[in-house]
Amino acid sequence: MSAIKKYFKEQCQVRMCGLEHANPSEFYLSVWQTNRSATPLFVLRLILFLGSLAIVLASSILYIQSGIYGFWFIYLTHWGLTANVAATGFAALVSARSFFYGPTRTKHQLPWYVMTYWILYNIAAPVAFLITLFYWTVLFEAGVEEELNYGLDVAVHGLNSVVMFVLVVTSAQPTRLLHMYHPLGFSLVFFLFTLFYYLAGGVDVKQNPFVYSVLDWRHAGTTVGVGVLTGFLLVFLYLVTMLLSLGRDAIAKKFVKPSVYVNEELPLRQPTAEQTQTGV
């Protein structure tokens, strides 16, 4: 109990709202590694990025072929898919930077691309879980069809969570409690978008005056209630993501030799003459 109390006491400090971190290597090395090579995670993240990009392209192409591409942008699912592509893309970028140029030489102040990745990671994982859960329970039962192909429907509302689950369990960076405002802010922006979309006379593919039938602003009270309940669900799923990270770290600490996190100042390889001259 004292360990749990200590953990939450540390997590609830105001400084934890920021994006400072003492171990930059945790953003490009996996907890499951026994060496300092950035290659394994770089390759995996590149695969996750290409997979996420392929799903988005497949979905977009079907919408274009059907002549309804403008509607692609109104759905939370597609916002979440875009977050997936951005998160896995920046994850691959962070790993690529270390693969080609060596460790990130910094203390606490992370480079902008690492901080961007961290924010996108905090958003994309719980939002992906929310989309999968919300679609296959509430929206699917309500007859909502966002995709024009059943196989793609499964990929968009299932593989999205698989991709983010793999990204979470193979990473090493922490999931901070107070970073919960990242996914909540993202979901609030979408919620407000549905309101402004309705006020502007927007409709869905079937010409209904809403994005989702459960977010029908003609019944504002019910819509706000659904929004609040969804917010609580997102908080829960963010906590699940945090528990996944803690469980990942605990298991890795027990079974993997702690030889990965060594001196950040030592390069992964000898720099080239050009890199030495330019100071990269």
Side-chain angles (χ1 to χ4, degrees), residues 18-242:
L19 295 167
E20 297 80 17
H21 193 61
N23 298 313
S25 62
E26 292 185 350
F27 291 89
Y28 57 82
L29 297 178
S30 174
V31 292
W32 309 107
Q33 289 184 236
T34 57
N35 56 51
R36 301 179 62 234
S37 174
T39 304
L41 209 55
F42 174 40
V43 172
L44 176 61
R45 287 175 168 179
L46 188 58
I47 292 172
L48 294 178
F49 167 66
L50 294 176
S52 298
L53 184 61
I55 293 174
V56 167
L57 290 176
S59 177
S60 300
I61 290 171
L62 280 181
Y63 269 72
I64 292 173
Q65 291 176 339
S66 301
I68 55 173
Y69 185 62
F71 291 103
W72 192 90
F73 299 95
I74 71 173
Y75 294 113
L76 178 62
T77 296
H78 299 147
W79 285 39
L81 287 177
T82 303
N84 274 24
V85 172
T88 54
F90 268 89
L93 174 64
V94 171
S95 292
R97 170 61 178 76
S98 298
F99 176 79
F100 289 109
Y101 296 107
T104 302
R105 297 178 178 84
T106 181
K107 294 296 183 182
H108 298 285
Q109 185 63 45
L110 299 174
W112 69 269
Y113 54 88
V114 178
M115 291 190 288
T116 302
Y117 160 57
W118 202 0
I119 294 172
L120 291 170
Y121 168 92
N122 290 334
I123 292 172
V127 168
F129 300 152
L130 174 68
I131 289 170
T132 297
L133 182 62
F134 198 66
Y135 183 79
W136 293 111
T137 54
V138 178
L139 298 181
F140 187 76
E141 291 297 325
V144 175
E145 297 179 357
E146 293 178 333
E147 301 307 317
L148 308 175
N149 176 286
Y150 180 74
L152 185 59
D153 216 27
V154 173
V156 166
H157 301 101
L159 288 181
N160 63 324
S161 288
V162 173
V163 167
M164 296 315 301
F165 175 81
V166 172
L167 184 64
V168 171
V169 300
T170 57
S171 298
Q173 75 267 7
T175 302
R176 291 180 179 173
L177 179 63
L178 294 187
H179 280 175
M180 191 183 299
Y181 71 90
H182 293 154
L184 286 176
F186 179 86
S187 62
L188 179 60
V189 170
F190 177 79
F191 187 66
L192 292 176
F193 163 76
T194 65
L195 172 59
F196 294 132
Y197 188 73
Y198 166 73
L199 294 175
V203 296
D204 69 355
V205 175
K206 298 180 180 179
Q207 301 304 304
N208 295 308
F210 47 69
V211 176
Y212 294 113
S213 59
V214 295
L215 294 176
D216 187 348
W217 283 100
R218 292 175 299 180
H219 310 288
T222 301
T223 298
V224 171
V226 171
V228 171
L229 289 175
T230 303
F232 280 117
L233 178 58
L234 185 59
V235 168
F236 171 75
L237 292 173
Y238 183 83
L239 294 176
V240 169
T241 306
M242 190 172 71

Side-chain angles (χ1 to χ4, degrees), residues 1-17:
M1 185 62 70
S2 60
I4 297 177
K5 183 178 180 180
K6 180 181 178 182
Y7 173 78
F8 279 100
K9 182 178 180 180
E10 179 182 357
Q11 285 294 309
C12 291
Q13 296 181 31
V14 176
R15 64 182 179 85
M16 288 297 183
C17 290

